[in-house]
Amino acid sequence: MNGSNLLARLVACSVILGVARAVTLEVREGNSTCIKADLSASFSISYNTSNTSTTVQVNLPDSTTVDVDSSSCGSEGRPVSLVGVFGPGHTLGLFFSTNGSVYSVDTLSLQYNLSDSTLFPFANSSDVVTVMTNSVGMSARLNTTYRCVSPASIPVGGATVTFSGVRMEAYMTQEDLSPSESVCMADQAFTTATPAPASPTTTTTPAPSPTPPGPPEQGNYSVTIGNDTCLMALMGLQLNISFNSLSQNKTVQKVVNIHPNLTVSTGSCGQSISTLVLTHEGNTNLSFTFTLNTTSNKYHLSGLMLVADWPDMRVSVSNSSLSYLASSWGRSYSCNSEQTLFIAEAFSVNTFRLQVQPFAVTSDQFATAEECQVDQDQMLIPIVVGAALSGLVLVVLIAYLIGRKRSNAGYQTI
Ligand SMILES: *[C@@H]1O[C@H](CO)[C@@H](O)[C@H](O)[C@H]1NC(C)=O
Ligand SMILES: *[C@@H]1O[C@H](CO)[C@@H](O)[C@H](O)[C@H]1NC(C)=O
Ligand SMILES: *[C@@H]1O[C@H](CO)[C@@H](O)[C@H](O)[C@H]1NC(C)=O
Ligand SMILES: *[C@@H]1O[C@H](CO)[C@@H](O)[C@H](O)[C@H]1NC(C)=O
Ligand SMILES: *[C@@H]1O[C@H](CO)[C@@H](O)[C@H](O)[C@H]1NC(C)=O
Ligand SMILES: *[C@@H]1O[C@H](CO)[C@@H](O)[C@H](O)[C@H]1NC(C)=O
Ligand SMILES: *[C@@H]1O[C@H](CO)[C@@H](O)[C@H](O)[C@H]1NC(C)=O
Ligand SMILES: *[C@@H]1O[C@H](CO)[C@@H](O)[C@H](O)[C@H]1NC(C)=O
Ligand SMILES: *[C@@H]1O[C@H](CO)[C@@H](O)[C@H](O)[C@H]1NC(C)=O
Ligand SMILES: *[C@@H]1O[C@H](CO)[C@@H](O)[C@H](O)[C@H]1NC(C)=O
Ligand SMILES: *[C@@H]1O[C@H](CO)[C@@H](O)[C@H](O)[C@H]1NC(C)=O
Ligand SMILES: *[C@@H]1O[C@H](CO)[C@@H](O)[C@H](O)[C@H]1NC(C)=O
């Protein structure tokens, strides 16, 4: 298989996955959480009808819940496991183990009920089929979150499970996903390819300036868990990136607007970390991580990651030590003016007409906004000018009155 074939398959894959919704699953024992997983998954399952063999594509639905009886935090010698259940007896199971420094998914299981005629119409059998594999390839250092935004397909028996947008931790010691991450090879592979700092050959022939596409449309994005909207964002987004173009064989700079109606938003909400993941045209993934400092009750945008799979560029860039868009718990943050968020040497994001609230959203409404400095300064200009003008009027008026009084006095003495 040649490279372009692989790329086409990857793009097709992400397009399908763009539709898959993120699901958040949590295993608790007593009052503490031991596994939390935020992921999208889809299954490709083959089955027989009376006259033919067919394959269906199934997404892990929003309505997936944790099967409390089959899941465990490891008490009574049971494996640390997360089993999600959906529909009439379909399950997805992740069984973990650790060696004291690394934890990994030992076994992945998939159970599907062929009696479910909505998923498996005309199935030849009504069996409940269970398939599993020990070749999963998901592992992370203890006390870190396993992160893999790139799609990863795992053959399980005759089926294939494809995960994407995964943020997951097992053997947790705190309530929420750890802010430090173990990034999967697939996400890292993108990084090694590009973006590259301009090479000597490209500095002699400077990159052509891109024609700016104009300001982006304002998108209305949100994260909804169950019926609860827990994160809201209104914003126009523009990506500005330099990369080594595969087709042109040189460094090019590209300015890309995110079109809201070609963008799917998913994400997760936690007590101190919330994420918003935007999937644009199925080949661009932007992930925003907001962190709340529970001591000071202030939050900020702490991380941003881009994974793009464009015709002439595959890239993953991220920075998890940002401090942009800072505001207080129970407030939103707004910035009407254009703002540039520098993420990496070759990558920045311009925001336009932005208002976000990643924590404490109630009844689908933004709380009072804390405004960015630029907006405050712009508000200040008319106030200062107004104050100066009224000051001037006052001075002229006083001078006039004094002058009139003096001349009146003058008349009287005459
Ligand atoms: C769990 O939480 C409840 C209520 O918050 C509390 O009463 C109980 O003592 C806690 N149990 C443990 C084991 O911490
Ligand atoms: C479909 O039927 C054929 C022939 O009976 C069998 O070999 C095959 O394993 C079946 N496939 C599935 C997915 O059950
Ligand atoms: C479907 O089931 C029937 C019997 O129930 C069997 O004769 C037939 O071979 C099966 N077809 C396939 C494709 O497996
Ligand atoms: C196979 O079976 C389905 C449903 O029973 C029927 O609609 C279809 O026409 C059949 N196909 C063939 C090639 O017999
Ligand atoms: C399989 O699906 C059928 C029909 O929806 C249901 O009656 C049955 O209980 C399911 N089996 C399991 C193990 O859930
Ligand atoms: C745990 O496993 C990882 C990866 O297999 C290995 O690098 C590490 O040395 C192991 N640690 C211990 C304490 O065995
Ligand atoms: C993970 O965190 C817990 C509690 O903070 C600590 O006891 C443990 O040693 C840490 N483990 C590793 C491998 O860092
Ligand atoms: C954003 O979308 C929500 C839900 O669809 C809607 O209630 C809200 O009015 C929208 N906000 C704007 C500014 O369009
Ligand atoms: C969500 O809303 C629907 C309809 O508004 C309602 O039937 C359902 O019970 C709600 N679910 C939850 C978990 O509140
Ligand atoms: C890319 O450009 C460099 C320098 O101009 C050249 O050496 C190299 O052969 C080119 N690669 C391709 C695939 O055209
Ligand atoms: C997407 O937005 C553009 C304008 O930005 C509009 O022309 C187009 O019709 C929209 N497409 C859909 C499917 O709403
Ligand atoms: C949280 O805020 C407090 C008080 O401002 C500060 O001392 C602390 O370092 C902050 N914690 C983190 C993790 O940034």
Side-chain angles (χ1 to χ4, degrees):
M1 181 168 44
N2 67 30
S4 69
N5 229 337
L6 178 68
L7 204 62
R9 260 170 37 117
L10 270 166
V11 172
C13 191
S14 340
V15 170
I16 292 165
L17 288 163
V19 183
R21 298 279 305 268
V23 176
T24 300
L25 300 169
E26 207 171 329
V27 182
R28 303 176 66 86
E29 208 160 76
N31 288 351
S32 56
T33 303
C34 64
I35 306 175
K36 188 165 179 178
D38 185 12
L39 50 81
S40 299
S42 69
F43 317 108
S44 156
I45 300 171
S46 300
Y47 68 100
N48 283 333
T49 63
S50 61
N51 54 12
T52 180
S53 170
T54 179
T55 302
V56 288
Q57 191 79 29
V58 179
N59 287 337
L60 187 70
D62 288 354
S63 55
T64 305
T65 53
V66 171
D67 182 354
V68 187
D69 293 331
S70 319
S71 303
S72 156
C73 282
S75 61
E76 295 158 9
R78 297 167 64 196
V80 171
S81 50
L82 165 64
V83 178
V85 56
F86 60 99
H90 312 300
T91 67
L92 175 71
L94 298 164
F95 298 83
F96 295 87
S97 72
T98 179
N99 69 1
S101 62
V102 169
Y103 66 91
S104 50
V105 180
D106 263 356
T107 306
L108 174 67
S109 74
L110 176 66
Q111 175 183 300
Y112 51 95
N113 182 351
L114 290 172
S115 313
D116 182 356
S117 57
T118 50
L119 292 188
F120 308 107
F122 306 115
N124 201 6
S125 138
S126 55
D127 289 350
V128 174
V129 181
T130 304
V131 287
M132 49 181 67
T133 180
N134 295 321
S135 310
V136 187
M138 291 178 161
S139 61
R141 279 169 286 116
L142 274 179
N143 296 350
T144 67
T145 298
Y146 172 78
R147 189 195 77 194
C148 201
V149 173
S150 311
S153 292
I154 302 163
V156 188
T160 303
V161 176
T162 304
F163 289 106
S164 69
V166 178
R167 280 171 53 77
M168 165 172 89
E169 187 175 359
Y171 304 95
M172 293 167 74
T173 54
Q174 51 192 31
E175 280 300 293
D176 244 322
L177 292 175
S178 167
S180 45
E181 294 179 328
S182 293
V183 179
C184 70
M185 291 302 279
D187 284 5
Q188 290 174 13
F190 281 109
T191 324
T192 52
T194 37
S199 65
T201 50
T202 52
T203 43
T204 53
T205 50
S209 300
T211 21
E217 215 180 306
Q218 190 189 41
N220 183 352
Y221 310 112
S222 60
V223 177
T224 302
I225 310 286
N227 287 349
D228 268 349
T229 298
C230 57
L231 183 156
M232 302 204 301
L234 284 174
M235 55 192 171
L237 292 172
Q238 191 173 66
L239 312 182
N240 189 338
I241 186 161
S242 302
F243 60 93
N244 281 334
S245 166
L246 301 177
S247 57
Q248 299 176 47
N249 192 18
K250 65 179 179 196
T251 301
V252 296
Q253 191 190 2
K254 203 161 173 170
V255 178
V256 178
N257 282 349
I258 299 293
H259 298 290
N261 60 7
L262 301 174
T263 303
V264 180
S265 65
T266 59
S268 66
C269 297
Q271 269 164 10
S272 58
I273 295 179
S274 290
T275 53
L276 171 67
V277 180
L278 300 180
T279 305
H280 182 235
E281 293 189 309
N283 62 9
T284 309
N285 247 313
L286 261 181
S287 160
F288 299 79
T289 303
F290 294 90
T291 304
L292 175 72
N293 179 331
T294 45
T295 316
S296 61
N297 267 345
K298 304 265 187 207
Y299 66 80
H300 63 275
L301 176 70
S302 59
L304 197 150
M305 177 169 73
L306 167 73
V307 179
D309 191 346
W310 297 341
D312 58 354
M313 181 197 77
R314 298 174 67 199
V315 68
S316 159
V317 207
S318 69
N319 186 334
S320 54
S321 54
L322 303 174
S323 61
Y324 292 120
L325 321 185
S327 181
S328 308
W329 188 89
R331 296 285 184 89
S332 62
Y333 171 90
S334 90
C335 200
N336 209 39
S337 315
E338 179 180 351
Q339 227 180 343
T340 300
L341 316 180
F342 295 97
I343 312 302
E345 196 183 341
F347 175 47
S348 61
V349 176
N350 302 325
T351 68
F352 299 74
R353 297 196 290 142
L354 172 144
Q355 184 168 16
V356 292
Q357 189 174 345
F359 297 101
V361 173
T362 51
S363 54
D364 299 4
Q365 301 275 326
F366 280 114
T368 315
E370 288 185 9
E371 288 183 357
C372 62
Q373 197 58 47
V374 193
D375 282 6
Q376 288 179 19
D377 291 351
Q378 286 192 349
M379 283 289 282
L380 215 59
I381 293 169
I383 291 172
V384 167
V385 170
L389 278 180
S390 36
L392 199 66
V393 167
L394 211 65
V395 166
V396 169
L397 198 69
I398 289 168
Y400 168 76
L401 288 177
I402 290 172
R404 226 173 79 133
K405 207 174 169 193
R406 281 225 180 115
S407 51
N408 277 351
Y411 284 127
Q412 274 165 9
T413 51
I414 286 173

